[in-house]
Amino acid sequence: MRLTTWLVPTLREVPAEAEVASHRLLLRAGFIRRVAAGIYTLLPLGKRVLAKIESIVREEMNRAGGQEILMPILQPAELWHRSGRWEVYGPELFRLKDRHGRDFCLGPTHEEMITALVAAEVRSYKQLPLLLYQIGNKYRDERRPRFGLLRGREFIMKDLYSFDRDWAGLEESYRKMYEAYTRVFTRVGLNFRAVEADTGAIGGSVSHEFMALADAGEAVVVYCPDAACGYAANVEKAESLPSLEEIGEEGPMELVATPGVRSAEEVAAFLGLPVKQIIKTLIYRTEKGLVAALVRGDREVNEVKLQNHLGVLELELADESLVEEATGAPPGFAGPIGLSLPLVVDREVLYVKAGAVGANRPDAHYINVLPGRDFPVQNVADIRQVSEGDPCPRCGQPLLSVRGIEVGQIFQLGDKYSRALNAYYLDEKGEKRPIIMGCYGIGITRTMAAVVEQHHDEEGIIWPLAVAPFQVLVLPVNYEEVPQREVAEEIYNLLREKGIEVLLDDREERPGVKFKDADLVGYPLRITVGRHAAEGKVELKLRRTGETWLVDKDEVLEKVAAFLEGKD
Ligand SMILES: O=C(C[C@@H]1CCCCN1)Cn1cnc2cc(Cl)c(F)cc2c1=O
Ligand SMILES: [Mg+2]
Ligand SMILES: [Mg+2]
């Protein structure tokens, strides 16, 4: 292919809206263009990378026994009514009406649709297990689309659904998918970790996320430094050994004036107590009303754990006016004493024997508060956010934390959707039983961006060979100069005949522009045809290491083949 015929609109300037490397570089290198917030066009080189990622995913899904299908993006609301999710999802679900006024949504996921299909087509245990998957667009109206392809409102996902006769079957399908995901992310060149994950509203119990480690990642992973232990979890779900240290001496509760002293740190300093002896009260708004969550002063509430514990769909910190109304005091003076709200108490709070809490009146706190004596402790749970340094829940060593990009997530769903959509089968004895499901997603466009986050330098992208838009770039420094053009054309045609993905930069551009573009786009191997062409010599350059070799043009094919075999 000749670059003069290809649309690769590279940019010198960094687009202002791009905050992370992958967004900046995919724009500058001419791989994507923004259409609207969270909505992108994939340009030719971007599409070539996607095609490579998709074919790796397809190979591994097929190897695991998956059968590829393609479901509609337009989903009739009726399916979502049957699963009860039409009302559950809010503005994130793109809804529309057809010309007859019938309700549809643009598919954010396909549990309902695939389960309805299987309900209609599977009758017998002989048809199980069944693994069906698709690769296609998904739509989620994110409140804050950002970071380019990392969080879009339209994106490409591979979603596979497993259908088994029982839980043992599901565990086998889940294990196969876990291994298939490990192969996919290894092959595309990502440094990733599989971590225990929260299942969210999808239901089910077991879930893992595949995290590409990157500072630009929105997810926080906590993990045990000891590889033999191997504990790793999304912080939404992560646990640590609770501190069962008793704090403070029991004593009579007292009201003390704490003028303008609000935060746990301020109250601790004012009262001369350690922060962990403060008991924080945070008021949350849910669709079932207000709730007060209590954690030690040195902890944060984990809102995902709290939401799961309460079984609510919406959970948001109550704003100041709501807190005033509910407690009679501004935030910072809220407390559990005499509070007419349901309390959820973190387990560690029980070990605070003389706590300080807001007195539900301005500028006042109670001290020597004893949980159980001074406020009810019926509802105790693990609702605290684990942080770096907390003891590993398995082996006690201090946990570490790192940021990650969630490129895949797998779930053991169970029978939630099969019961809702009537997907049953008859076993050997003719007994009717619900199909046991799993669902498994990979963010295809997000994976491309994650690869760029992990593979770039200040010059541009460094594509791993397996997903590069082209394997080799032939770069004649001065295309009008005869020996250079002839040698470049000769090498270009030789490689093409061998089926190597080679691009020839035949533009009449200044050499500097050509070199800068070559490094920006990130072709893995570059063959520069310059002044040595007259003696039949060319320069090979590896984008990843910058290493260069001056070789005779007759050695090029052998060198390129060796590089392609070496796979980076
Ligand atoms: O999608 C999943 C679970 C798995 C992920 C892997 C592939 C199959 N689905 C979870 N989820 C996330 N965001 C959503 C957003 C909207 Cl607006 C919605 F209506 C539903 C969902 C939703 O169900
Ligand atoms: Mg989540
Ligand atoms: Mg997730």
Side-chain angles (χ1 to χ4, degrees):
M1 319 288 193
R2 298 168 182 278
L3 193 47
T4 46
T5 65
W6 275 67
L7 178 64
V8 184
T10 55
L11 304 170
R12 281 284 153 267
E13 293 315 308
V14 176
E17 81 268 13
E19 299 164 75
V20 296
S22 57
H23 189 189
R24 261 197 314 277
L25 290 172
L26 286 171
L27 280 172
R28 279 197 51 213
F31 282 69
I32 63 173
R33 281 295 180 270
R34 180 186 183 278
V35 175
I39 299 171
Y40 289 87
T41 293
L42 273 298
L43 295 180
L45 294 193
K47 184 65 179 75
R48 285 175 74 92
V49 171
L50 276 190
K52 293 210 172 166
I53 294 171
E54 288 172 6
S55 79
I56 288 169
V57 167
R58 202 164 265 125
E59 273 172 29
E60 295 304 338
M61 294 304 114
N62 294 345
R63 187 205 306 247
Q67 298 172 48
E68 187 170 7
I69 60 173
L70 185 62
M71 287 186 271
I73 284 166
L74 274 174
Q75 303 196 13
E78 182 263 340
L79 287 171
W80 289 68
H81 285 303
R82 291 173 62 194
S83 68
R85 292 212 289 178
W86 185 258
E87 290 71 28
V88 161
Y89 281 89
E92 193 185 355
L93 184 60
F94 276 105
R95 301 163 198 262
L96 68 157
K97 287 181 182 301
D98 68 10
R99 63 189 303 167
H100 309 293
R102 281 191 285 265
D103 288 325
F104 285 79
C105 69
L106 295 181
T109 183
H110 283 71
E111 277 80 10
E112 285 81 359
M113 192 175 285
I114 191 76
T115 308
L117 172 79
V118 166
E121 307 302 335
V122 170
R123 287 261 163 286
S124 155
Y125 69 97
K126 292 176 184 157
Q127 295 172 277
L128 299 174
L130 183 60
L131 303 175
L132 299 174
Y133 77 95
Q134 65 175 347
I135 299 178
N137 285 9
K138 292 282 189 282
Y139 298 83
R140 294 177 184 177
D141 199 356
E142 297 281 348
R143 190 200 326 248
R144 280 196 62 208
R146 47 202 288 227
F147 298 172
L149 299 184
L150 284 180
R151 181 170 289 278
R153 294 195 288 168
E154 173 182 273
F155 55 95
I156 299 172
M157 182 199 278
K158 179 286 301 174
D159 40 329
L160 184 139
Y161 302 85
S162 65
F163 302 89
D164 281 282
R165 56 176 301 165
D166 53 26
W167 279 91
L170 167 57
E171 277 153 19
E172 175 63 9
S173 296
Y174 192 85
R175 189 185 56 72
K176 275 186 193 164
M177 278 296 116
Y178 189 103
E179 284 166 19
Y181 275 48
T182 303
R183 280 196 294 272
V184 164
F185 296 122
T186 304
R187 288 180 63 185
V188 302
L190 281 176
N191 172 22
F192 68 95
R193 294 286 182 289
V195 304
E196 293 180 28
D198 172 54
T199 54
I202 192 80
S205 53
V206 173
S207 177
H208 287 80
E209 280 166 337
F210 287 75
M211 295 290 189
L213 305 188
D215 292 342
E218 289 183 354
V220 174
V221 168
V222 284
Y223 65 98
C224 181
D226 183 344
C229 167
Y231 179 71
N234 186 316
V235 75
E236 292 172 346
K237 174 157 179 95
E239 299 177 2
S240 67
L241 292 181
S243 149
L244 310 182
E245 167 204 1
E246 298 214 336
I247 301 168
E249 300 292 320
E250 283 192 30
M253 188 170 87
E254 265 180 66
L255 184 64
V256 296
T258 52
V261 185
R262 296 165 186 275
S263 75
E265 289 72 19
E266 288 165 351
V267 174
F270 184 83
L271 298 172
L273 299 171
V275 178
K276 60 189 178 184
Q277 197 162 339
I278 312 305
I279 298 174
K280 281 193 305 198
T281 302
L282 291 102
I283 313 286
Y284 284 93
R285 198 172 49 72
T286 79
E287 77 272 14
K288 294 179 183 167
L290 295 182
V291 163
L294 274 63
V295 292
R296 256 176 33 181
D298 58 334
R299 300 297 196 191
E300 297 303 329
V301 170
N302 178 318
E303 296 184 354
V304 171
K305 287 183 184 174
L306 179 60
Q307 186 166 343
N308 290 343
H309 175 70
L310 293 169
V312 292
L313 291 162
E314 284 160 38
L315 182 100
E316 210 166 51
L317 264 181
D319 63 24
E320 235 176 86
S321 57
L322 253 178
V323 173
E324 295 247 13
E325 197 185 306
T327 67
F333 299 101
I337 314 288
L339 185 66
S340 59
L341 290 183
L343 299 182
V344 181
V345 180
D346 181 64
R347 191 188 332 282
E348 288 184 333
V349 167
L350 300 185
Y351 296 86
V352 178
K353 297 301 175 195
V357 303
N360 289 330
R361 68 184 71 183
D363 302 334
H365 279 74
Y366 286 108
I367 58 171
N368 297 339
V369 172
L370 178 60
R373 179 191 73 189
D374 304 329
F375 62 84
V377 288
Q378 270 75 16
N379 196 345
V380 176
D382 167 10
I383 56 167
R384 67 185 158 77
Q385 178 101 329
V386 165
S387 35
E388 200 159 66
D390 287 354
C392 170
R394 291 202 193 131
C395 74
Q397 293 180 69
L399 292 168
L400 297 175
S401 86
V402 69
R403 298 197 80 93
I405 300 167
E406 176 193 330
V407 287
Q409 184 161 7
I410 61 179
F411 298 77
Q412 290 185 13
L413 274 185
D415 59 12
K416 169 179 172 178
Y417 290 89
S418 28
R419 286 187 186 282
L421 290 130
N422 198 27
Y424 289 78
Y425 72 95
L426 297 180
D427 68 11
E428 290 83 346
K429 297 192 282 301
E431 297 262 309
K432 188 179 173 199
R433 298 156 62 101
I435 293 175
I436 307 301
M437 288 176 63
C439 61
Y440 317 81
I442 289 180
I444 301 288
T445 36
R446 185 180 274 187
T447 293
M448 175 165 126
V451 167
V452 177
E453 284 297 331
Q454 291 191 352
H455 296 277
H456 72 270
D457 60 17
E458 60 288 347
E459 302 309 317
I461 304 169
I462 304 173
W463 290 109
L465 191 59
V467 296
F470 281 94
Q471 295 166 322
V472 182
L473 175 78
V474 175
L475 194 162
V477 174
N478 190 335
Y479 196 54
E480 308 79 70
E481 217 254 40
V482 171
Q484 291 191 27
R485 182 166 66 241
E486 280 176 358
V487 168
E489 291 283 347
E490 182 189 332
I491 290 172
Y492 166 67
N493 289 313
L494 177 68
L495 296 179
R496 236 158 71 94
E497 278 151 28
K498 296 291 178 190
I500 291 167
E501 297 166 24
V502 55
L503 187 65
L504 171 66
D505 187 346
D506 57 346
R507 296 176 298 168
E508 293 184 11
E509 284 281 358
R510 292 193 319 278
V513 168
K514 291 189 170 189
F515 288 126
K516 277 241 171 282
D517 278 357
D519 288 342
L520 175 61
V521 170
Y523 310 97
L525 181 63
R526 185 170 98 206
I527 301 175
T528 306
V529 182
R531 58 181 188 288
H532 301 291
E535 310 119 53
K537 292 196 179 306
V538 296
E539 181 195 77
L540 265 56
K541 177 182 177 184
L542 290 189
R543 177 67 182 86
R544 181 166 300 287
T545 63
E547 284 171 291
T548 60
W549 295 272
L550 192 62
V551 302
D552 192 290
K553 68 181 172 65
D554 300 332
E555 295 174 273
V556 163
L557 181 57
E558 168 205 341
K559 294 280 182 205
V560 169
F563 169 69
L564 299 185
E565 278 322 298
K567 299 267 180 272
D568 264 347

